[in-house]
Amino acid sequence: MPDRATLKVRVNRDKCQGHNRCKALAPELFELDEYGNAHEIGDGAVPAGLEEKAYLAKSNCPEFAVEIIEE
Amino acid sequence: MARPTVTDWATDFDHLDPAWVNDPFPIWDDMRRKCPIAHTDRFMGVYFPTRYQDVRAVAYDTVHFSSRRVVVRETPPPRIPAPPITSDPPEHRPARMVLLPPFTPDAIKKLEPRARALANELIDKFAGRGSADAAVEYSQEIPARLIAHMLGLPEADGDLYRRWIKMVLVDGITDVSVALQAAGEMHQYFMGYAQQRMEKPGDDLISYLVNIKSNGQPLSTENVIGTLRLLLIAGIDTTWSGIGSCIWHLATHPEDRRRLVREPALMATAVEEFLRAYAPVTMAREVIKETTINGCTFKPGEMVLLSFPAANRDPSMFEDADKVIIDRKENRHAAFGLGIHRCIGSNLARMELTVAVEELLKRIPEFSLAGPVTWSEGTVRGPRQLPIKF
Ligand code: HEM
Ligand code: SF4
């Protein structure tokens, strides 16, 4: 068992307007489609060491579209 | 023409008043404390929300607030549609979607080498002189020339663009006929190029627009021209103002400037902070259905000034909102708008701001103000004269 809660990031696509803050701050966790709107990479699981970047992405998204789920 | 003196900012504000033009921040702070949604009878009735939450509420509410008028003018002009900025749902989305692909971060990255070269060509012209007007000789040239480059037009036509922009955004506020004349001239200019690129497409934005399909249909010529007009109007003054404000800050805050030279890795957070603190763009909406926000009733037919700059200074949203903190970590600023009209050019603008500041600091790390600074009038705010010495 890992000794920390697993974090997952998720982009709420109804809210995302493509400000590109999440990808700029955490390119390991987010990617953009051809219109510049974001989604999480894979299932959104945050590898160890990238937790801070995940929280930065969340706290800089102007549309409150980045969610962090603790599992 | 001298405007009637403002008697009370909460009930009689005027965004063209010299006090507002020179330093609006204390006025907004005061309004936010005393009367967070101010109103004026000037300009045939305008509301001015200063709190982040209220600005956000208006921006998100496309049912009661329409984008069909996005500039507050002395008299409302006949509508000059410029989709998507003047569109509401459901027309807004398709008009916006066609414009997004050429402005993604990857697409913009390709322009960066040209932007850096351009910045250096401009600096070459004044580097040996020991002084420059950083607004006129540097900040305004970069976006005008880069958009010409994107459109596949002569970069020197930037002079023409600046003239039109001034007619639409400055002189046109009080004299609508000037704005209409500029729209007509732009129409003529772009018409010729649109036809040419239809026959012989190239690798530029005009060719992209005349060949793109939206719902299987090519865009109408009217739509293409309107979009080109919008890109000029939306892309030049705004970015010029943004770059100018960054340089103004660095000229007046040597500690921040030296820190950026020492720690260039801070550039990304610094640019976001400049965008927050000196957000250049205030938009507007027309009230189309009566509604109430935060206890204030909005009357149909009147306008709302949508001040992203005031929202960005709201202390209930941003810690130390009145301080410029170049390594601010959490910065959910609204400089590029909120909701469906998020600035399509935000990736381009961010690149231009970053490149302009980086190249200037590389070549001229030490500089200071050399004389009086003048700020623009109207709803795009930035320095229009910015004398520096080095
Ligand atoms: C620092 C520079 C810039 C700032 C601060 C800025 C700000 C804004 C803001 C606040 C909006 C939202 C309008 C609204 O809510 O009604 C907007 C929309 C827009 N901007 Fe920018 N802008 C900048 C640069 C640019 C550039 C360089 C371009 C393109 C060349 C551009 C193109 C657009 C377009 C097309 C829209 C309309 C989007 C829509 O309605 O869906 N902007 N901009
Ligand atoms: S920062 Fe927010 S709005 Fe912007 S691309 Fe990421 S999720 Fe979308």
Side-chain angles (χ1 to χ4, degrees):
Chain A
M1 279 293 285
D3 60 0
R4 62 175 192 112
T6 314
L7 296 187
K8 276 191 175 172
V9 288
R10 207 181 76 85
V11 175
N12 180 331
R13 292 184 202 191
D14 293 331
K15 289 188 182 170
C16 173
Q17 298 291 351
H19 288 258
N20 187 35
R21 298 288 291 130
C22 56
K23 161 106 192 290
L25 290 161
E28 302 87 346
L29 303 176
F30 301 93
E31 57 192 5
L32 305 180
D33 65 15
E34 61 173 310
Y35 298 103
N37 292 327
H39 51 267
E40 61 279 3
I41 292 177
D43 67 352
V46 180
L50 292 181
E51 297 84 352
E52 197 191 331
K53 283 195 177 185
Y55 282 107
L56 272 181
K58 175 179 160 148
S59 59
N60 280 280
C61 171
E63 307 290 346
F64 294 81
V66 175
E67 295 158 12
I68 294 186
I69 306 142
E70 284 184 34
E71 285 182 349
Chain B
M1 195 186 60
R3 308 183 59 78
T5 316
V6 171
T7 50
D8 172 33
W9 289 107
T11 56
D12 181 43
F13 74 83
D14 187 329
H15 60 292
L16 302 183
D17 187 272
W20 182 300
V21 168
N22 287 324
D23 189 12
F25 306 114
I27 300 174
W28 299 344
D29 288 344
D30 204 44
M31 285 171 154
R32 205 181 288 112
R33 278 189 300 265
K34 292 187 190 141
C35 176
I37 301 180
H39 182 269
T40 187
D41 289 333
R42 299 178 188 222
F43 306 95
M44 303 173 74
V46 187
Y47 300 89
F48 189 82
T50 42
R51 287 190 185 159
Y52 176 89
Q53 287 304 347
D54 298 341
V55 170
R56 183 181 180 83
V58 174
Y60 272 56
D61 180 349
T62 56
V63 172
H64 299 92
F65 301 98
S66 167
S67 283
R68 62 193 189 186
R69 285 201 279 153
V70 286
V71 183
V72 169
R73 300 183 195 278
E74 211 70 92
T75 44
R79 292 205 191 103
I80 317 172
I85 211 164
T86 53
S87 318
D88 294 318
E91 291 81 20
H92 172 262
R93 196 179 148 80
R96 176 176 171 88
M97 294 295 271
V98 293
L99 266 183
L100 287 171
F103 288 95
T104 59
D106 285 345
I108 294 306
K109 190 103 194 107
K110 299 196 185 104
L111 291 170
E112 195 180 314
R114 179 67 205 124
R116 288 203 190 271
L118 181 55
N120 279 289
E121 288 161 24
L122 295 167
I123 298 171
D124 284 341
K125 291 191 198 159
F126 55 74
R129 204 194 306 150
S131 69
D133 186 329
V136 176
E137 294 179 81
Y138 191 64
S139 310
Q140 73 167 323
E141 293 289 339
I142 293 174
R145 285 165 185 264
L146 209 60
I147 196 79
H149 177 80
M150 276 185 93
L151 295 172
L153 301 176
E155 285 189 10
D157 283 2
D159 291 342
L160 262 178
Y161 308 163
R162 284 201 305 274
R163 189 173 148 266
W164 290 328
I165 290 160
K166 183 162 178 295
M167 290 167 76
V168 173
L169 292 181
V170 183
D171 308 333
I173 292 186
T174 43
D175 183 353
V176 166
S177 68
V178 181
L180 292 173
Q181 187 197 329
E185 287 180 25
M186 282 192 252
H187 191 97
Q188 284 237 310
Y189 174 86
F190 281 128
M191 198 66 178
Y193 282 112
Q195 239 131 32
Q196 187 197 61
R197 302 289 155 87
M198 254 180 269
E199 284 151 27
K200 220 168 140 258
D203 183 22
D204 57 76
L205 198 48
I206 298 184
S207 302
Y208 169 85
L209 288 173
V210 295
N211 287 304
I212 189 84
K213 296 221 163 60
S214 173
N215 292 331
Q217 295 291 317
L219 302 183
S220 70
T221 314
E222 238 5 79
N223 194 335
V224 171
I225 307 268
T227 303
L228 289 169
R229 215 167 44 213
L230 170 62
L231 291 179
L232 285 200
I233 304 284
I236 299 181
D237 233 33
T238 50
T239 315
W240 165 17
S241 301
I243 296 173
S245 291
C246 292
I247 299 176
W248 175 81
H249 181 88
L250 296 171
T252 50
H253 297 77
E255 64 296 349
D256 282 345
R257 193 185 61 246
R258 288 180 192 134
R259 188 162 173 220
L260 266 185
V261 171
R262 238 178 16 247
E263 302 174 61
L266 288 182
M267 195 59 71
T269 50
V271 165
E272 294 306 322
E273 179 66 346
F274 296 147
L275 281 165
R276 179 191 72 82
Y278 308 114
V281 177
T282 297
M283 290 301 299
R285 296 287 188 268
E286 183 180 342
V287 186
I288 49 172
K289 253 194 193 161
E290 186 166 309
T291 186
T292 302
I293 293 177
N294 197 3
C296 170
T297 303
F298 291 77
K299 294 246 167 6
E302 301 209 350
M303 297 291 288
V304 184
L305 272 172
L306 199 53
S307 179
F308 299 114
N312 280 353
R313 295 274 187 148
D314 182 349
S316 67
M317 182 65 188
F318 301 94
E319 223 173 288
D320 291 317
D322 54 346
K323 293 206 181 70
V324 176
I325 302 169
I326 61 172
D327 58 357
R328 190 185 285 272
K329 290 219 161 48
E330 295 190 5
N331 196 347
R332 246 187 246 271
H333 70 77
F336 292 111
L338 291 169
I340 61 169
H341 291 278
R342 185 272 302 169
C343 177
I344 283 176
S346 63
N347 299 306
L348 171 61
R350 284 187 160 109
M351 184 274 278
E352 293 182 283
L353 258 65
T354 307
V355 164
V357 174
E358 279 177 356
E359 297 305 314
L360 187 70
L361 288 182
K362 271 188 224 161
R363 300 276 301 271
I364 307 177
E366 283 293 316
F367 57 90
S368 58
L369 286 188
V373 176
T374 56
W375 296 87
S376 56
E377 253 188 23
T379 43
V380 178
R381 182 171 197 271
R384 290 296 173 265
Q385 278 175 306
L386 182 58
I388 56 167
K389 57 178 191 287
F390 40 88

